[in-house]
Amino acid sequence: MTGARETAVCIPRHVAVIMDGNGRWAKQRGRPRLFGHRAGAESLRAVLRACRDHGVEYLTVYAFSTENWVRPKDEVGGLMSLLKTFLKKDEHELHENQVRLRVTGRIEDLPRSVRTELERVMEATKAYTRWHLILALSYGGRTEIMDAVRAIARKVKTGELEPEAVDETVISRHLYLPDVPDPDLMIRTSGELRLSNFLLWELSYAEFYFTDTLWPDFREPQFAEALAEYSRRQRRFGAPS
Ligand code: FPP
């Protein structure tokens, strides 16, 4: 057990992260944006390892939003190759640590070669039940809710569902990953104080943690600090008034 775990009494089961600031990190060093994304992939590796060390079962990361498709072609292509490299290079580590890989988002929007690789690794890791890495790819919170509403509307149309039966549980069950518990903690790096269309439904009751640290500089110590802050908030919440 790590020192951080001993002090952070209340551990979130699910942490969601907006990995922001790769571009600025690269710019500060006079390097292309992709250099920042590569360093960002290292941070993802470090945080995934830290999740296991601290006992965080689910990690969801915003790796590519529906809005990111309008970025320059080179950058989009670079991010897609980075994703493929991550899947190839890190698959053994997922197995070693028994981490299940999943995707939330419109996987069908991704280039075929990326999809094939993703589907292969998701299939190969699907038996693992304890640790989960969820990549939000071509993901948008409003699109997810819209897709759920459409699926529900189709069932109402065919008479499979009564309009009055549509409640929060029914909506949750039609989201992309209905079996995944809602995040307890949402971290956004790089000083931006926005949700940017990330997990709009699922983050309703999450604690939010914002830090000025740029994502490529966000590693285990910074993650441990976020967990410690979460734990402090939880303790305050439970205290008598
Ligand atoms: C936001 O930073 C980050 C992204 C749009 C991409 C996140 C991707 C990674 C961290 C790469 C690793 C992911 C995998 C799955 C291998 P930004 O580019 O908007 O930064 P800026 O706001 O400073 O410009």
Side-chain angles (χ1 to χ4, degrees), residues 31-138:
R31 304 294 297 268
R33 296 177 60 81
L34 209 54
F35 181 71
H37 293 316
R38 259 187 232 115
E42 283 307 317
S43 289
L44 173 56
R45 290 182 179 100
V47 168
L48 180 60
R49 283 178 204 127
C51 277
R52 212 168 172 276
D53 289 347
H54 288 272
V56 174
E57 294 171 48
Y58 293 83
L59 174 66
T60 299
V61 292
Y62 210 0
F64 197 86
S65 72
T66 44
E67 290 81 16
N68 287 153
W69 289 112
V70 301
R71 290 197 178 201
K73 230 176 143 200
D74 280 6
E75 187 177 350
V76 172
L79 278 167
M80 292 300 144
S81 339
L82 199 56
L83 179 56
K84 276 198 278 183
T85 309
F86 178 81
L87 294 168
K88 284 208 171 83
K89 253 178 72 178
D90 291 65
E91 189 187 352
H92 77 278
E93 194 164 334
L94 296 179
H95 286 296
E96 242 168 60
N97 294 311
Q98 308 214 323
V99 178
R100 179 177 182 185
L101 179 83
R102 298 179 82 177
V103 170
T104 185
R106 287 187 161 178
I107 193 173
E108 64 275 16
D109 293 347
L110 301 170
R112 171 147 298 280
S113 60
V114 177
R115 251 165 61 197
T116 307
E117 199 57 21
L118 274 169
E119 277 158 3
R120 189 185 62 71
V121 180
M122 285 195 289
E123 180 65 25
T125 59
K126 74 173 185 198
Y128 303 137
T129 55
R130 179 84 164 92
W131 309 104
H132 306 260
L133 171 62
I134 300 163
L135 302 178
L137 289 168
S138 196

Side-chain angles (χ1 to χ4, degrees), residues 1-20:
M1 193 184 274
T2 65
R5 190 169 175 183
E6 280 159 21
T7 50
V9 178
C10 188
I11 295 293
R13 187 170 182 212
H14 185 173
V15 175
V17 185
I18 301 180
M19 309 183 287
D20 200 7

